[in-house]
Amino acid sequence: MIYEGKAITVKKIEDGIAQLDFDLKGESVNKFNRLTLSELREAADKLKSDSSIKGLMVTSSKDCFIVGADITEFTELFAGSEEDLVANNLQANSIFSDIEDLPFPTVTAINGIALGGGFEMCLATDYRVMSTKAKVGLPEVKLGIFPGFGGTVRLSRLIGADNAIEWICAGGEKRPENALKDGAVDAVVAPDKLQAAALDLLKQCIAGKIDYKARREEKTSKLKLNQMESMMTFETAKGFVAGQAGPNYPAPVEAIKTMQKHAGMSRDKALEVEAKGFAKMAKTSVAASLVGLFLNDQELKKKAKDLEPKASPVKQAAVLGAGIMGGGVAYQSALKGTPILMKDIAQAGIDTGLNEAKKLLARRVEKGRMKADEMADVLNRIVPTLSYGDFKTVDLVVEAVVENPKVKDIVLREVEDVVREDAIITTNTSTISVNLLAKNLKRPENFCGMHFFNPVHMMPLVEVIRGEKSSERAIATTVAYAKAMGKTPIVVNDCPGFLVNRVLFPYFGGFIGLVRDGADFQKVDKVMERFGWPMGPAYLLDVVGMDTAKHAGDVMAEGFPERMKHEGTTAIDVMFEAKRLGQKSNEGFYKYETDKKGKPKKISDPAVYEMLKPVVSGNGEFDDQTIIERMMIPLCIETVRCLEDGIVETPAEADMGLIFGIGFPPFRGGALRYIDSIGLDEFCKLADKYADLGPLYHPTEGMREMAKSGKKFFG
Ligand SMILES: NC(=O)c1ccc[n+]([C@@H]2O[C@H](COP(=O)([O-])OP(=O)(O)OC[C@H]3O[C@@H](n4cnc5c(N)ncnc54)[C@H](O)[C@@H]3O)[C@@H](O)[C@H]2O)c1
């Protein structure tokens, strides 16, 4: 044994060959946490000073190779100064460079996932042999940063600037065949042949049959590009990548700038440039938000996992109503493997639901994401029916019939009579109180809300709504079923709008107020899209549908009259009364034409300004910042209220609900992290500027308390 730690061991295996093995004790995966890094330092020192070693093979004893850095350490790390971050990276890099400089050949056997720092470790050795089961990549940009353990330096020299730009800026995971084609690995072999192949390569190096030093030289020198080529490559890429990433995600372009800057340098200087660029990105609010998002996601996963033991298995599901939502639920359940009965009262409904599923599946087959026989299997998992005949086999029901409390009441009682006593019944209502719907049920403990978003196959969020009488088993089973469908469930308590719509309608309230005071709705859309929303509020209303928005708005106004009741006629009322329902009627705030791909294309319609005149009483010219503040403050305050009222349990869940449910700009982290980034004190002052606009703009007492004591929602 040459070295024995808690994450790394190094031992001699044969003929002077050493094996460095990653196996982080007490964890299911290997990751580059502080411990692993400090042990790698010690192991590298031992290897350096042992003159009997002729070659090194790097391996992992886990299913993965190394999943990457330990992101839970990032928040604290990134809180340090830029200088500290640079120093930190350079220190880590000295370890990787020492491994790269060992006086004998080195090979990594990549057995499983090797991402981020994990793949940068592989890049430090002379050669890489990869299992057909492994995946490699540098996904750092997804966290608002870029590779900082030498990835921008080594990968660009190894596979060329063009390829490295694509790997680093897109941040994707690469399959073995692609990694081999680009030259990022040297061989791909079956899992059971991996170590033998790595050893064989190493022995050829030791025997002098392969010139590993030449390979090393290439990796540690300047990039082989003349000035002209360099300019062409980097400048073209910058334009293209900037367009793809958009102005709110600076890391990909910064990665290119960094690679361009260090292209003419040899390794050690180049690493300094990388460290500076990395530190700059790590200090951005984008990185803070995206790292926060990752951590929130972990928290959500943990919550779902904690509920698992209380869940009953869902082997057979059923959906009532085969409309837009019911059809989507049936498709998603079948796609992910849970068979589902799809019941409607009308054959026409069933036909619509099935056709929608067929269309979605055919598209998957067309895109090569599914084989034709798999498509048949999925369709076979959807069993359409007009009767309750087979409902005794059902473990969980999703009710998705028309949004009418009387109809739902009848349907829910009906289905309760035909399912087993232990079956869970859920409702996909978007506006009716779950407690109200539970009233006439015999087993309200087996009932809760399961609120999907439209279109079901695209939208990642499911709100699981806990009624007063819902049991833990009902909640846990519904959460588990949502997870099995590939969705992210968030458990919330019952109130008008639940979490997502309760927060969305104050945002629409901000919009209505702006239009009333004379703002141009198209400008509002543009400003909010630049702010990071996938679509502005007027466009979003067109997509939601004016009838749905009006109905839900009325429910919200009834539930929270002091804040959400609007005086007089609103812009939404005008559109609704003119039967401009939005995309579904090809007219709303915009007009819609069908483009070549059959998708609705939005065009401006001057007539709308005329129609809105009666509800416009101001002629305000609003600058971008005012528009942002008037739109965002009501949404943010209502999110805090949901937290204070216990509608949602944690800030992480609230923020993730908004990101997954309504497309809140991810790089801003969610409403609560956005408030944190402004500071509660500053946020309250900002809101007070708009106090005259009404209670939607009034911070809660709790917020003022937090402001006084300097508290934050996160950390
Ligand atoms: N459309 C959305 O954007 C959206 C989003 C989230 C939640 N929801 C909710 O989902 C539910 C369904 O909405 P939708 O948009 O799919 O409506 P839809 O009108 O498209 O479909 C309703 C279906 O229910 C069927 N139906 C009516 N009575 C029935 C009964 N007694 N038994 C079985 N089937 C019956 C109808 O024939 C119709 O096919 C509503 O509660 C709605 O609020 C809708």
Side-chain angles (χ1 to χ4, degrees):
M1 193 64 76
I2 300 171
Y3 176 79
E4 189 163 14
K6 293 193 178 74
I8 293 174
T9 52
V10 185
K11 59 179 187 228
K12 282 255 183 73
I13 43 175
E14 56 180 278
D15 304 337
I17 293 178
Q19 176 180 10
L20 185 156
D21 188 57
F22 287 94
D23 190 2
L24 184 57
K25 299 278 170 308
E27 297 270 356
S28 57
V29 294
N30 289 321
K31 52 190 170 183
F32 264 122
N33 53 6
R34 285 199 183 91
L35 173 80
T36 306
L37 214 49
S38 77
E39 288 193 2
L40 189 62
R41 169 78 278 161
E42 289 167 14
D45 288 340
K46 295 265 187 201
L47 286 163
K48 249 190 340 193
S49 59
D50 189 334
S51 58
S52 70
I53 299 175
K54 293 188 198 139
L56 173 72
M57 174 169 71
V58 179
T59 59
S60 150
S61 287
K62 300 243 195 271
D63 286 341
C64 68
F65 180 71
I66 299 173
V67 292
D70 184 352
I71 298 166
T72 58
E73 291 178 355
F74 279 9
T75 310
E76 199 189 324
L77 189 69
F78 292 2
S81 69
E82 221 167 299
E83 292 76 45
D84 286 349
L85 277 164
V86 171
N88 195 67
N89 275 28
L90 289 178
Q91 204 178 4
N93 271 313
S94 72
I95 311 170
F96 295 105
S97 294
D98 278 359
I99 288 175
E100 190 164 48
D101 295 339
L102 286 169
F104 41 76
T106 54
V107 177
T108 307
I110 309 172
N111 61 309
I113 292 267
L115 297 176
F119 186 53
E120 290 173 290
M121 172 68 221
C122 306
L123 290 171
T125 59
D126 298 321
Y127 294 96
R128 282 148 296 283
V129 182
M130 182 174 180
S131 153
T132 48
K133 272 201 175 150
K135 274 190 190 157
V136 296
L138 296 173
E140 285 84 347
V141 289
K142 294 187 177 153
L143 294 175
I145 50 177
F146 58 73
F149 286 171
T152 70
V153 179
R154 294 192 177 93
L155 191 65
S156 55
R157 278 137 185 90
L158 189 68
I159 68 175
D162 285 9
N163 282 331
I165 288 169
E166 195 275 319
W167 278 58
I168 291 169
C169 297
E173 293 179 9
K174 299 287 183 180
R175 291 170 188 278
E177 58 273 21
N178 296 333
L180 185 66
K181 187 177 103 260
D182 288 351
V185 300
D186 302 284
V188 172
V189 297
D192 58 334
K193 306 254 166 29
L194 181 68
Q195 292 209 1
L199 272 177
D200 182 57
L201 183 59
L202 199 53
K203 284 176 187 166
Q204 292 192 52
C205 294
I206 296 169
K209 288 186 198 151
I210 297 178
D211 186 359
Y212 76 89
K213 285 189 180 149
R215 165 51 86 85
R216 196 178 283 187
E217 169 73 20
E218 196 180 36
K219 209 150 50 87
T220 51
S221 337
K222 297 176 192 172
L223 199 62
K224 288 196 176 50
L225 277 182
N226 67 34
Q227 238 183 351
M228 189 60 199
E229 289 169 329
S230 167
M231 218 199 50
M232 289 286 289
T233 305
F234 290 115
E235 293 304 326
T236 318
K238 262 191 268 182
F240 175 74
V241 169
Q244 293 266 307
N248 297 316
Y249 294 88
V253 171
E254 203 61 32
I256 301 177
K257 286 188 191 161
T258 295
M259 284 190 266
Q260 183 170 23
K261 229 182 262 173
H262 67 50
M265 301 174 186
S266 56
R267 184 190 68 195
D268 292 353
K269 285 273 168 239
L271 287 172
E272 284 175 27
V273 172
E274 181 189 88
K276 279 191 193 133
F278 176 91
K280 184 173 153 196
M281 287 301 101
K283 292 304 290 178
T284 58
S285 64
V286 179
S289 296
L290 294 178
V291 168
L293 225 142
F294 175 88
L295 299 175
N296 287 352
D297 197 46
Q298 297 286 99
E299 194 177 318
L300 254 55
K301 287 199 175 110
K302 184 170 179 311
K303 283 198 123 179
K305 207 168 169 54
D306 289 348
L307 279 172
E308 254 170 39
K310 294 178 192 142
S312 304
V314 178
K315 295 203 180 97
Q316 174 70 54
V319 61
L320 304 178
I324 303 174
M325 297 306 283
V329 169
Y331 163 82
Q332 190 67 23
S333 183
L335 178 72
K336 295 291 175 178
T338 310
I340 187 160
L341 299 172
M342 182 171 74
K343 184 186 176 300
D344 206 291
I345 41 169
Q347 185 61 39
I350 285 181
D351 294 343
T352 316
L354 270 184
N355 283 339
E356 186 60 23
K358 274 185 201 152
K359 220 168 50 195
L360 290 170
L361 289 166
R363 220 176 287 155
R364 282 181 90 86
V365 174
E366 235 169 69
K367 285 188 179 158
R369 293 176 65 194
M370 181 181 263
K371 298 204 180 86
D373 54 337
E374 283 175 85
M375 169 167 168
D377 286 346
V378 174
L379 277 177
N380 281 336
R381 283 197 280 271
I382 305 177
V383 178
T385 173
L386 291 168
S387 81
Y388 284 118
D390 292 330
F391 270 59
K392 277 280 178 272
T393 60
V394 169
D395 303 305
L396 185 144
V397 179
V398 181
E399 171 278 304
V401 305
V402 284
E403 186 74 349
N404 176 322
K406 287 198 186 107
V407 176
K408 284 198 192 287
D409 182 62
I410 295 169
V411 169
L412 288 169
R413 279 189 289 130
E414 238 170 49
V415 75
E416 192 181 42
D417 281 339
V418 294
V419 291
R420 287 191 323 268
E421 285 207 350
D422 64 341
I424 303 298
I425 300 175
T426 71
T427 173
N428 182 39
T429 179
S430 20
T431 55
I432 307 167
S433 156
V434 168
N435 289 329
L436 180 78
L437 292 174
K439 272 228 165 79
N440 295 327
L441 292 179
K442 287 184 217 139
R443 299 184 294 274
E445 66 278 11
N446 288 354
F447 177 69
C448 66
M450 188 174 194
H451 185 212
F452 291 87
F453 293 76
N454 185 19
V456 176
H457 69 283
M458 299 266 292
M459 299 296 286
L461 183 70
V462 172
E463 283 179 297
V464 175
I465 300 121
R466 189 195 297 275
E468 278 159 12
K469 297 197 171 151
S470 309
S471 66
E472 275 303 285
R473 187 177 73 87
I475 298 299
T477 306
T478 308
V479 164
Y481 179 50
K483 296 256 332 162
M485 286 172 85
K487 299 294 171 192
T488 299
I490 291 180
V491 181
V492 299
N493 280 314
D494 193 17
C495 75
F498 315 129
L499 168 69
V500 170
N501 283 333
R502 175 161 163 188
V503 170
L504 181 61
F505 277 80
Y507 174 78
F508 287 149
F511 173 70
I512 288 168
L514 275 166
V515 174
R516 176 199 61 215
D517 295 345
D520 172 359
F521 68 89
Q522 295 200 62
K523 177 172 175 182
V524 176
D525 270 6
K526 284 202 189 93
V527 170
M528 296 319 287
E529 282 160 17
R530 271 201 300 272
F531 180 82
W533 289 91
M535 49 184 85
Y539 187 17
L540 179 59
L541 280 161
D542 277 359
V543 172
V544 167
M546 229 54 70
D547 46 347
T548 306
K550 171 129 179 70
H551 171 69
D554 289 346
V555 171
M556 301 310 295
E558 200 187 314
F560 306 102
E562 66 290 1
R563 294 194 297 287
M564 301 196 203
K565 204 165 153 52
H566 300 286
E567 294 302 328
T569 313
T570 69
I572 296 177
D573 296 332
V574 171
M575 290 296 114
F576 177 73
E577 275 148 29
K579 299 204 169 55
R580 295 183 70 115
L581 300 185
Q583 271 186 356
K584 65 173 91 166
S585 68
N586 293 324
E587 274 181 340
F589 284 99
Y590 298 91
K591 267 209 260 195
Y592 295 88
E593 282 175 359
T594 312
D595 72 5
K596 276 184 215 135
K597 286 183 188 159
K599 288 199 174 135
K601 193 177 125 212
K602 151 172 95 81
I603 36 181
S604 157
D605 182 358
V608 173
Y609 290 102
E610 279 304 314
M611 300 173 69
L612 288 175
K613 268 190 181 153
V615 295
V616 175
S617 55
N619 53 2
E621 275 285 313
F622 298 101
D623 60 26
D624 292 8
Q625 195 51 34
T626 308
I627 290 175
I628 292 169
E629 287 165 10
R630 286 187 59 163
M631 290 298 302
M632 293 303 293
I633 290 170
L635 176 148
C636 288
I637 295 177
E638 200 63 34
T639 310
V640 178
R641 286 185 185 277
C642 285
L643 192 65
E644 290 180 351
D645 293 353
I647 297 307
V648 62
E649 199 174 274
T650 62
E653 289 167 289
D655 275 3
M656 293 304 266
L658 301 191
I659 289 171
F660 287 150
I662 49 176
F664 190 101
F667 68 94
R668 298 191 189 274
L672 300 177
R673 196 174 291 276
Y674 176 63
I675 300 180
D676 272 356
S677 74
I678 296 173
L680 263 152
D681 191 38
E682 190 56 34
F683 183 90
C684 289
K685 280 187 199 143
L686 213 58
D688 289 342
K689 266 196 345 196
Y690 299 103
D692 288 352
L693 290 172
L696 276 183
Y697 291 83
H698 300 172
T700 66
E701 276 315 303
M703 291 172 80
R704 300 214 187 267
E705 284 301 316
M706 284 178 78
K708 239 187 258 162
S709 54
K711 274 207 193 122
K712 288 175 155 222
F713 292 105
F714 294 93

